[in-house]
Amino acid sequence: MPDTFIPRAVLVTGGAGFIGSNFINHFMAGNPGCRVVNLDCLTYAGNLENLKGVENNPAYRFVRGDICDAALVAKLLAEEKIDTVVHFAAESHVDRSITGPEIFVRTNVLGTQVLLEESRRHREAGAVPAFRYLQVSTDEVYGSLGSTGYFTEETPLAPNSPYSASKAGGDLLVRAYHETYGFPTLNTRCSNNYGPYHFPEKLIPLMIHNIIARKPLPVYGDGLNVRDWLHVKDHSAAIETVLKQGRPGATYNIGGNNEWKNIDIVNLVCDLLDMKLERAPGENRRLITFVKDRPGHDRRYAIDASKIKGELGWEPSYTFERGIAETIDWYLANQEWVREVTSGAYRDYYEKQYGER
Ligand code: NAD
Ligand code: TYD
C-alpha cells in the first residue's frame, strides 16, 4: 500500500448534490483538522439544505460558482492553498442527457478539463507540498453487460448514453493529465447509489415519492434491466479511502455486489411502504405502470470491486436490507425536503442564508 496522503484543504465540486453533500458530511465528521471548500453552482440538483450540519463549521466554506469558470477555480485553489480536489460536479441524469446532451458535454467534459488544468498549474507553481485530484465517475462508462460477467478496471470504455459518454470523456482527460503531465490523479467508478438526499428523478427516490403520493410508478420496458446498488455512505467512505491510500494514476471500481432487477426493487419498495404506511398488502404494487423503454437503455451493470478490496481494504458496511429500510424511513421523515426540491422552493434557501450573489 502506498504512503498515506493526508488532505489539508479540499476543494469539493458539486458538494450540494446527492453524493457530494453526503461525502462532505461524512468527511468533515472524520477529518476535523481539514478545510473543505464546496464549489457548486446550484443547478436544479444542488441543495444547500443537505449541508445544514456543516454550514456553521469554521472549516467549511461554500462558494457558489461554475467549475467551467477557470479564473474562479484558479483563485480558490490559490487563496485556500488547496492540496486536494474531489470532483463530483456533473449533470447526472441519463434521461435528461437524452433530451438535452449539450450541457452534459459542457459540465462533464469541459468542466473537468478546466479543473484539471487549473489544478495542474496550481500544483506546478509549488503552492503545496503534495497534491491529489480525485475524479468521481461511474460504471456506466463501461457500457452494458449481458446476463453474466462484471466490469473490471480493464473493461474497455463503451458508453451508450450522452451522460455516460460525457463522463467517459472526463475520465479520458484525467488519464491524459496523468500520462502527459505526471499529474497525481485518482479515478473512481461507482455503481448506482441510493440513500438520503437523492433527487426524486432517479429510480428509488422517485418510486418512494410516487408511492406516498399514490401516483403511477413508471417502470421502463420490461423492468428486467439490472443495476448494482450501493449505499451513498459506503461510496463516501470508499472515496475517502482512495483519496488517502490510492496509487496516483490508478482507477478503482466501487460496488456493493448487490444486483437487482428494476421490477424487483420497485416491488420491494412497494411492499415495505405497504407496511410503513399501513396500506393493504399489494396496494402499492397496483401503482406499477410499464412504460415505453428508455432509448439505448443499458441492460445490466455489475461491478467487480476486488481491486479496491484487495489493494486498499475497503468493503461496504451496509446490507441492502438495512440501507433500503433506512432510506425509506429518511424520505418519510423528510417530506418537507422532498416538497421543497420538487417545487424548486429550496432555491430561496441560498438567498436567505447568503444574501444576493
Ligand atoms: P447530482 O446531480 O445530485 O449533483 C450534482 C451537483 O453538481 C449539484 O449540486 C449541481 O448543482 C452541481 N453542478 C452541476 N453543474 C455544475 C457546474 N457547472 N459547476 C458547479 N457545480 C455544478 O449528482 P450525484 O448523483 O450526486 O453525482 C455526483 C457525481 O457522482 C457525478 O459526477 C456522477 O457522475 C457520479 N456518480 C453518480 C452515481 C449515482 O448513482 N448518483 C453513481 C456513480 C457516480
Ligand atoms: P436511474 O435511477 O435513472 O439510474 P441510471 O439510469 O443511471 O442507472 O435508473 C435506474 C434504473 O431504473 C434504469 O434501468 C432505468 C430505470 N428507471 C425506471 O424504470 N423508471 C424510472 O422512472 C426511472 C427514473 C428509472
Side-chain angles (χ1 to χ4, degrees):
M1 205 182 276
D3 290 345
T4 301
F5 173 76
I6 308 287
R8 311 263 177 223
V10 184
L11 179 66
V12 174
T13 69
F18 164 48
I19 306 176
S21 59
N22 274 285
F23 174 77
I24 290 178
N25 288 323
H26 161 89
F27 185 82
M28 293 200 77
N31 297 270
C34 184
R35 186 152 175 78
V36 173
V37 179
N38 174 13
L39 173 63
D40 195 303
C41 70
L42 301 182
T43 66
Y44 77 96
N47 185 357
L48 292 176
E49 298 246 8
N50 305 0
L51 294 154
K52 271 187 168 154
V54 297
E55 68 188 9
N56 295 321
N57 184 331
Y60 172 76
R61 175 182 172 194
F62 172 70
V63 178
R64 187 179 192 174
D66 190 332
I67 55 165
C68 298
D69 181 345
L72 173 64
V73 172
K75 177 174 159 289
L76 287 176
L77 289 166
E79 91 188 3
E80 295 284 355
K81 295 194 172 48
I82 296 294
D83 63 8
T84 307
V85 173
V86 184
H87 178 31
F88 293 96
E91 288 295 332
S92 69
H93 191 41
V94 173
D95 293 329
R96 286 178 189 255
S97 82
I98 294 168
T99 50
E102 201 176 331
I103 184 74
F104 284 73
V105 176
R106 181 187 182 275
T107 304
N108 300 356
V109 185
L110 179 63
T112 297
Q113 189 272 326
V114 168
L115 275 177
L116 283 165
E117 181 60 16
E118 295 313 319
S119 308
R120 175 181 81 82
R121 289 180 190 208
H122 168 70
R123 173 177 176 263
E124 287 176 5
V128 287
F131 199 89
R132 291 289 187 277
Y133 173 101
L134 191 149
Q135 175 83 358
V136 179
S137 191
T138 164
D139 59 357
E140 302 191 25
V141 298
Y142 297 121
S144 183
L145 291 165
S147 53
T148 58
Y150 295 91
F151 296 133
T152 73
E153 291 79 358
E154 311 310 321
T155 303
L157 302 193
N160 292 316
S161 71
Y163 163 67
S164 53
S166 68
K167 290 297 292 182
D171 286 10
L172 290 176
L173 285 163
V174 168
R175 177 189 156 87
Y177 268 69
H178 180 260
E179 295 299 316
T180 305
Y181 306 109
F183 187 58
T185 58
L186 296 156
N187 200 168
T188 57
R189 296 187 180 135
C190 190
S191 59
N192 287 61
N193 284 212
Y194 70 99
Y197 305 119
H198 205 182
F199 196 85
E201 65 183 354
K202 307 276 168 64
L203 181 71
I204 290 179
L206 181 76
M207 295 300 145
I208 297 171
H209 176 65
N210 284 11
I211 289 169
I212 294 169
R214 296 183 192 273
K215 285 189 186 163
L217 309 177
V219 173
Y220 299 165
D222 59 10
L224 300 179
N225 301 65
V226 172
R227 296 292 181 266
D228 186 355
W229 294 93
L230 182 74
H231 197 282
V232 65
K233 290 187 180 164
D234 280 328
H235 188 190
S236 298
I239 290 171
E240 182 179 0
T241 301
V242 172
L243 192 57
K244 292 179 172 174
Q245 315 285 355
R247 272 182 298 113
T251 295
Y252 296 92
N253 283 350
I254 303 171
N257 209 3
N258 181 39
E259 290 180 53
W260 284 79
K261 293 187 184 83
N262 291 339
I263 189 64
D264 291 341
I265 228 164
V266 173
N267 280 331
L268 174 70
V269 174
C270 284
D271 296 349
L272 288 170
L273 273 164
D274 278 342
M275 286 187 284
K276 289 182 192 284
L277 295 171
E278 297 181 3
R279 294 182 184 169
E283 194 175 332
N284 290 329
R285 287 192 187 204
R286 283 199 284 279
L287 298 168
I288 293 172
T289 312
F290 287 91
V291 298
K292 199 162 165 267
D293 208 357
R294 170 189 280 173
H297 195 177
D298 287 336
R299 194 61 172 169
R300 175 171 166 262
Y301 302 145
I303 281 270
D304 176 343
S306 53
K307 179 175 173 182
I308 188 173
K309 183 178 176 193
E311 268 189 31
L312 310 181
W314 173 86
E315 279 187 282
S317 66
Y318 274 80
T319 60
F320 190 62
E321 202 180 16
R322 172 183 160 212
I324 195 73
E326 281 186 19
T327 301
I328 290 174
D329 288 343
W330 187 89
Y331 279 90
L332 288 172
N334 288 278
Q335 283 297 290
E336 190 56 32
W337 181 91
V338 176
R339 259 191 297 283
E340 287 190 356
V341 298
T342 47
S343 73
Y346 67 93
R347 276 170 232 282
D348 296 342
Y349 182 80
Y350 175 83
E351 310 301 340
K352 272 188 247 140
Q353 283 298 115
Y354 295 91
E356 293 297 315
R357 260 188 94 177

